[in-house]
Amino acid sequence: MNIDRTECPDFFLDYVLYITVTKGLSQRTVQEYYLDIRLFLKYLRMMNDPRFQSIDDLQKITIRDMQIEELKAVKLQDLYNYLYYVAEERENHDRARGRKVSALRSFFGYLYHHQNLLENDPTDRLELPSPKKLLPKYLTLEQSQTLLQSIDSSYPERDYCIITLFLNCGMRLSELVGLNIDDINFKEEKMRVLGKGNKERIIYLNAACMQALEAYLQKRELPEGSVEKAVFLSKRHTRISKRRVQQIVENALKMAGLSGQGYSTHKLRHTAATLMYQYGNVDALTLKEVLGHSSTSTTEIYTHLSNQIIRHATESSPLAHFEKKESEKNDDDDSDNVDEEI
């Protein structure tokens, strides 16, 4: 097995020894669980520790000095956010994510049940629903408008532009962060993005996107002599990090009264696709190209029917406004009395 013991904190090494000796798992399974948990611990630090929030490459994050206290604050939603991360950023499919769920359950179960290092086990209710059965969570049109109206930050033009692109273009987080100035064709109102597998695609910009970009770029300032080509910059005038973009979205959701409801940066991508489908008469094949999917089977999760569409379908029935007419009865008709007697 290829396990770097010098990189791991003691509680992690103890866990690896436990599943190897006590549980008797195969070398292959131990290796996979080791890699899965190591990735989770690095991800946790990237999300929660200010020292690592500007680092996009998880492999550069050290966990050797990690303390068990950092795991005590882990909630169920953190685990789901991690699973979304490995699905979106690392292209993990169902089987790989399923194995990560098993690894997380095993790891936290060990810390809670066997070592009593945690007060609770956050994986108690952790599930991995089938994407084909789970409707993607998204903002409604009204919530999207509220979100855009509620942006209030120290760099409002940049933050408004970021969220506008997410909601209108369905961009991935990595695509937005990687966007360069020369990727945008202002004359033809389109931009080139680099998606999964280094696949390039063209995204066309509507009026809202163009206005937001122009307003932001007028405020975008660089030190004299700087050649930074990134579109979106941090206050240090360097390419903005993924974590900083997530914080911008989280703050905007909070200002709009939408925090704590399971919305995230990735949900804005769900929202863009859903609104295109609901209001733009966009079919799955077109959405596939817009979102940069390799297969329409992936796109189909976005083409779910909303309550609004279902309601409209019901109200469109030719019998929707049918009303039963009251029959005229003769007061002398004693047929009802016959029924009563029977």
Side-chain angles (χ1 to χ4, degrees):
M1 291 184 294
N2 184 20
I3 295 178
D4 186 357
R5 298 179 181 276
T6 64
E7 181 187 18
C8 304
D10 291 340
F11 62 83
F12 186 20
L13 286 176
D14 292 341
Y15 165 73
V16 173
L17 182 63
Y18 168 75
I19 61 175
T20 302
V21 178
T22 305
K23 299 295 289 184
L25 300 184
S26 68
Q27 289 190 0
R28 178 179 177 180
T29 300
V30 171
Q31 180 72 23
E32 290 175 340
Y33 276 26
Y34 161 76
L35 294 174
D36 288 339
I37 299 304
R38 186 183 67 174
L39 179 67
F40 171 73
L41 295 178
K42 289 175 179 286
Y43 166 85
L44 200 62
R45 280 208 146 175
M46 179 187 72
M47 298 299 289
N48 299 329
D49 194 323
R51 295 176 299 166
F52 304 107
Q53 288 178 353
S54 62
I55 299 178
D56 290 333
D57 184 1
L58 290 188
Q59 300 307 319
K60 297 179 181 179
I61 296 177
T62 178
I63 58 173
R64 181 66 186 91
D65 61 338
M66 197 171 197
Q67 302 297 314
I68 196 65
E69 282 71 24
E70 295 182 53
L71 296 178
K72 292 182 178 179
V74 173
K75 301 292 188 297
L76 180 62
Q77 187 60 47
D78 298 323
L79 302 179
Y80 281 128
N81 289 341
Y82 169 65
L83 294 175
Y84 271 119
Y85 169 81
V86 297
E88 179 67 12
E89 298 299 324
R90 304 182 74 87
E91 303 183 19
N92 281 188
H93 297 296
D94 294 354
R95 184 174 179 180
R97 296 199 305 274
R99 191 193 65 232
K100 284 179 168 57
V101 168
S102 297
L104 289 170
R105 286 172 177 161
S106 173
F107 178 62
F108 280 98
Y110 166 78
L111 297 177
Y112 174 63
H113 294 289
H114 294 275
Q115 295 298 315
N116 297 318
L117 294 176
L118 302 179
E119 296 179 358
N120 60 75
D121 181 357
T123 67
D124 275 346
R125 293 182 289 114
L126 178 62
E127 299 177 355
L128 186 61
S130 170
K132 295 180 180 179
K133 298 179 181 179
L134 182 65
L135 295 180
K137 191 174 181 66
Y138 64 96
L139 298 171
T140 64
L141 176 59
E142 292 74 17
Q143 287 174 324
S144 300
Q145 293 170 337
T146 299
L147 178 62
L148 289 168
Q149 291 286 355
S150 302
I151 296 172
D152 183 13
S153 67
S154 58
Y155 206 158
E157 296 84 6
R158 179 198 64 185
D159 299 349
Y160 179 84
C161 186
I162 285 174
I163 293 179
T164 295
L165 290 182
F166 275 140
L167 288 174
N168 283 273
C169 303
M171 301 178 68
R172 297 182 177 94
L173 175 59
S174 58
E175 293 170 348
L176 182 134
V177 169
L179 195 63
N180 294 324
I181 291 293
D182 56 8
D183 289 328
I184 304 175
N185 186 327
F186 290 93
K187 183 178 180 180
E188 298 183 13
E189 298 183 350
K190 63 183 182 181
M191 62 185 178
R192 181 180 67 248
V193 299
L194 190 64
K196 287 184 178 180
N198 290 324
K199 294 180 180 178
E200 289 188 355
R201 75 178 187 282
I202 298 298
I203 293 179
Y204 290 90
L205 302 167
N206 59 26
C209 293
M210 290 299 298
Q211 291 171 4
L213 276 168
E214 290 168 359
Y216 161 60
L217 292 177
Q218 288 179 0
K219 296 289 185 177
R220 179 182 179 272
E221 297 180 353
L222 285 172
E224 185 176 352
S226 173
V227 292
E228 178 57 64
K229 58 183 181 180
V231 172
F232 295 106
L233 306 176
S234 67
K235 289 186 177 180
R236 299 190 300 272
H237 306 297
T238 58
R239 186 182 298 275
I240 199 168
S241 70
K242 293 178 183 178
R243 180 53 188 153
R244 181 66 191 115
V245 173
Q246 291 173 326
Q247 290 173 333
I248 289 169
V249 172
E250 290 165 2
N251 181 67
L253 288 167
K254 182 177 181 181
M255 297 297 295
L258 296 169
S259 62
Q261 300 179 38
Y263 298 120
S264 64
T265 304
H266 187 65
K267 298 301 187 298
L268 300 189
R269 176 169 160 87
H270 284 311
T271 298
T274 303
L275 294 182
M276 288 180 200
Y277 180 69
Q278 289 182 359
Y279 297 93
N281 296 320
V282 178
D283 58 30
L285 193 59
T286 303
L287 272 184
K288 169 183 172 294
E289 298 301 320
V290 172
L291 299 173
H293 288 159
S294 58
S295 170
T296 54
S297 63
T298 306
T299 309
E300 286 172 358
I301 68 169
Y302 295 97
T303 57
H304 58 283
L305 295 178
S306 70
N307 291 335
Q308 178 180 351
I309 294 176
I310 296 173
R311 178 184 293 274
H312 176 72
T314 304
E315 292 178 348
S316 298
S317 168
L319 298 177
H321 303 289
F322 175 81
E323 294 183 5
K324 181 181 178 182
K325 295 182 179 179
E326 294 293 334
S327 60
E328 295 182 1
K329 299 177 63 176
N330 190 325
D331 291 340
D332 296 331
D333 186 353
D334 60 356
S335 59
D336 286 342
N337 296 330
V338 174
D339 290 338
E340 290 177 359
E341 292 175 1
I342 293 175

